Amino acid sequence: KIENIDTILILQKPKVFKYFEGMVKNIADTLGIDKGRINLKATTTENLGFCGRGEGIAAQAIALLK
């Protein structure tokens, strides 16, 4: 059983904050869990690496299982 999910998006552009609500809803619906169990945030790499150059994005997720 999924207790919670902590997710971070790593990208320089575009700014994705305005899409968070829909993203959280889609993740929750797909996994069949409450939206309150999902934490989503985003950060940049201050123009470093492939993410900073705009060549791609990265994502990390940690799930606490019971």
Side-chain angles (χ1 to χ4, degrees), residues 7 9 13 20 33 42 47-48:
T7 306
L9 303 174
K13 289 183 181 178
F20 275 17
I33 62 175
N47 297 310
L48 298 174

Side-chain angles (χ1 to χ4, degrees), residues 41-53:
K41 52 193 174 282
T43 190
T44 67
T45 59
E46 302 298 328
N47 297 310
L48 298 174
F50 73 93
C51 292
R53 291 189 302 268

Side-chain angles (χ1 to χ4, degrees), residues 10-62:
I10 306 164
L11 66 162
Q12 202 64 38
K13 289 183 181 178
K15 301 299 182 195
V16 294
F17 182 75
K18 62 184 174 184
Y19 302 107
F20 275 17
E21 187 176 328
M23 294 167 77
V24 169
K25 180 186 181 315
N26 288 338
I27 293 168
D29 290 350
T30 299
L31 297 175
I33 62 175
D34 184 77
K35 293 188 307 185
R37 295 182 181 264
I38 300 170
N39 182 35
L40 178 61
K41 52 193 174 282
T43 190
T44 67
T45 59
E46 302 298 328
N47 297 310
L48 298 174
F50 73 93
C51 292
R53 291 189 302 268
E55 296 171 354
I57 65 172
Q60 298 175 346
I62 299 171

Side-chain angles (χ1 to χ4, degrees), residues 1-4 37 63-66:
K1 178 182 172 187
I2 298 173
E3 285 294 318
N4 63 42
R37 295 182 181 264
L64 176 63
L65 305 175
K66 180 178 182 182

